[in-house]
Amino acid sequence: MNRIVILGAMTAAGLSAGVASAATLDDVKARGTLNCGVTTGLVGFAAPNANGEWEGFDVGVCRAVAAAVLGDPTAVEFVPTTGKTRFTALASGEIDLLARNTTWTFSRDVDLGFEFVGINYYDGQGFMIPKELGVSSAKELDGATVCIQTGTTTELNLADYFRKNNISYEPVPIETNAEAQPLYLEGACDVYTTDASGLAATRAAFENPGDHVVLPEIISKEPLGPLVRHGDNEWGDIARWTLNALIAAEELGVTSANIDELASGTNSPEINRLLGTEGTLGEMLGLDADWAVRAIKAGGNYGELFEKNIGENTPIGLARGLNAQWTEGGLLYSPPFR
Amino acid sequence: MLINDTRYRSYTFQFVALLLLVLAFGYLGSNLLDNLQAAGLNISYQFLGEPAGYDINQKLIPYTSQSSHWQAALVGVLNTLLVAFLGCLMATVIGVVVGVLRLSNNWLVRQLMSVYVEIFRNVPVLIWILIIMAVFIAVLPQPRDFRGDDAEASMVLGAFAFTGRGFYMPAPILGAGAGFVIAVFVASVAGIFAFKNYAKKSLYDRGKLIPTFWPSLAILFVPTILVYFLLGRPITLDYPALQGFNFQGGIFMRNSLISLWFALSIYTAAFIAENVRAGILAVSQGQTEAAASLGLRPRRIMNLVILPQALRVIIPPLISQYLNLTKNSSLAIAVGYMDLTGTLGGITLNQTGRAIEAIFLLMLFYLTISLAISAIMNVYNNSVKLKER
């Protein structure tokens, strides 16, 4: 009995350590670095490069927030998290921001006590299968062995999809994307399922990407976005509007190349408000006037981040699709900077 | 002076220590509740009744994704118990054999067993689990290799398929009258014990040694086989066959179960071997010599003189090895084996976000199962330990 009490109390003490502090902004400033939760490694989204520096699409969001708040895009402490550990890490205060292709769902937002600050990638769950098996549709997967990352929404979607279509499957739960690759390549599972963007990134890392096909079915909506803890709205606002600034910058034609020129003043009031030469938006956030300039300079606007990390000219080769600006038929739509 | 009164002093110190302990726990408890409230969370076990929503590959009881989180936890409990039971069994067998062989007179055998013990005891069990799983998947053929006319792999005896995904083997199908065959088999097993008792009694009462090995074998098989054919073979076999992506039919032992079972067994067996060796060495050499001078053969000396005395030394540390093995089985998720830590402590915890509740339940389960194993083994220990009158 004693052991339960001790361990329980230790759990409690561990949980309580970080929760109480409401002013994340002050903590981050005092610490001088932003603790940002990312994946344990998914090429294009968040993975260390040959020099050991983290880079990727989600990493770009972390760097933009760090640049806006601390003035230094490299002042980020990256904390690799798995699908299982990410929410505990955020809830306990180990990380200030979670940018780890996490799906925005009702229960995560409401019940788990998190606040999604926006969507940086509109995704959906897909299937990847070796070409030699000759499967052309997910409906033909009856009896297949499916590798799946545990602790994700994909696990639930998969169960729903196979039940709805009345076909059977054998789930093989794995913890990280890296563990799934050898299992899939050795043939211990027939199919690998995760978000379509993740499949593209995983396939790009294969020796012969051409031997594998991604099936046409997209079985779920997976709006991926960064999130923070409930209860600190000022910090949530900073993260939300930093992401919006990146999206708005692309819409307004502000890039890392022309931003220095534009930051000295333009004829467009909206660009001026975004870049701080007009109005007091930065002050309202509790930051200085140049916050958005630094955020955009960190890695470029949304479009630049996309093209550099996961766009069509990278090995991952994702098309903009739903992630184009609303003016170009996509879903990206930043509220106005006013 | 009261401070010089030993009894008073010790009571006072114990009381102060107890008070501090209670205060410390009280503080931690209230801290937990305060912070939960501050974060807008509460402690509630309602989630156990809600549909789990996820599938589990190995389930010993009926379960679908629409079953509740509680049922998912039960599936996990049974999977934990299954691998713990199989693991303890195999670890004991390997451990006893290796422990005895470490004391062999043969130099080569002795050295080989030392190498085994040192290697397996000194590498973390998680590494062994991962190594065995990786080798398993890489070495054995996958189901797709069995396909086609000139397939790379083929089934053993047409009934067993050893694949990287696990072993497929024939499953018995019980027809009418199968219950009778099983009953006869159980009765035969009971008969063997009765016969052994009779043999012992005859040895002690009349000094007559009755051979037991061949008669036991006969009792075990002859009646069962006779009844099986008399009833017109009521038990048939369901053979696995390649169909679609996988083999279908028969019994499927997943690679995760096999590698976890095997890794836990050989790792724990190394410790058990040392316990066994220590137990045997604890029996004085004079016992062996005395038995030998009575004309007993080496195997009889081991079975009748050494082991019964060594057991008294072996059982207590053996209990703690069983507990270790059971708790180590929580590393199962490394190979995707869905034990309790994988279902309740993994997916359920993650999907519901009820971390504190789930961890409490997990601790309660492992504590219960550990105490139960201890209790059972203590009963056994009491039956073999030296009786003092």
Side-chain angles (χ1 to χ4, degrees), chain A residues 4 6-7 9 12 16 83-84 112 140 142-143 145 150-152 155 159 163 169-171 173 183 186-188 190, chain B residues 25 28 31-32 35 39 53 55 57 65-66 137 142 144 165 245-246 254 336 338 347 350-353 363-364 367:
Chain A
I4 302 188
I6 293 173
L7 288 176
S16 63
K84 264 172 78 175
L112 295 193
E140 298 166 23
D142 192 15
T145 305
T150 182
T152 61
E155 202 163 34
R163 195 166 66 93
Y169 72 108
E170 157 102 12
L183 285 183
E186 296 276 5
D190 299 302
Chain B
F25 282 129
L28 289 172
N31 193 26
L32 166 70
N35 282 304
D55 283 305
N57 45 20
S65 60
Q66 291 313 100
I137 290 176
Q142 299 299 341
R144 66 183 74 146
R165 286 178 194 171
F245 290 97
N246 286 317
R254 284 174 184 76
M338 279 288 132
I347 307 179
N350 216 281
Q351 303 293 4
T352 61
M363 291 197 302
L364 194 66
L367 187 73

Side-chain angles (χ1 to χ4, degrees), chain B residues 382 385-389:
Chain B
N382 284 338
K385 81 175 179 195
L386 205 57
K387 307 278 189 304
E388 290 175 356
R389 294 188 179 89

Side-chain angles (χ1 to χ4, degrees), chain A residues 163-248:
Chain A
R163 195 166 66 93
K164 202 167 63 190
N165 287 295
N166 204 15
I167 47 181
S168 66
Y169 72 108
E170 157 102 12
V172 176
I174 41 104
E175 282 227 76
T176 65
N177 198 53
E179 282 172 39
Q181 286 183 29
L183 285 183
Y184 171 76
L185 289 175
E186 296 276 5
C189 39
D190 299 302
V191 190
Y192 180 39
T193 181
T194 186
D195 296 342
S197 64
L199 288 181
T202 307
R203 189 171 66 161
F206 286 171
E207 210 171 322
N208 299 311
D211 291 351
H212 305 272
V213 284
V214 174
L215 298 180
E217 281 91 348
I218 294 291
I219 65 168
S220 68
K221 287 191 290 187
E222 307 283 340
L224 310 180
L227 57 155
V228 298
R229 278 182 298 281
H230 246 312
D232 186 355
N233 295 354
E234 288 75 19
W235 177 247
D237 285 344
I238 290 173
R240 173 176 303 112
W241 286 96
T242 306
L243 177 61
N244 282 338
L246 299 180
I247 295 171

Side-chain angles (χ1 to χ4, degrees), chain B residues 87 90-91 94 116 120-121 128 132 261-271 325:
Chain B
M90 187 152 136
I94 302 178
Y116 162 80
F120 282 92
R121 204 166 54 149
W128 282 120
I132 291 177
W261 173 24
F262 202 60
L264 288 175
S265 304
I266 53 175
Y267 175 79
T268 313
F271 289 90
L325 189 146

Side-chain angles (χ1 to χ4, degrees), chain B residues 279-293:
Chain B
I280 292 173
L281 287 179
V283 179
S284 118
Q285 180 72 17
Q287 298 269 344
T288 316
E289 285 161 4
S293 67

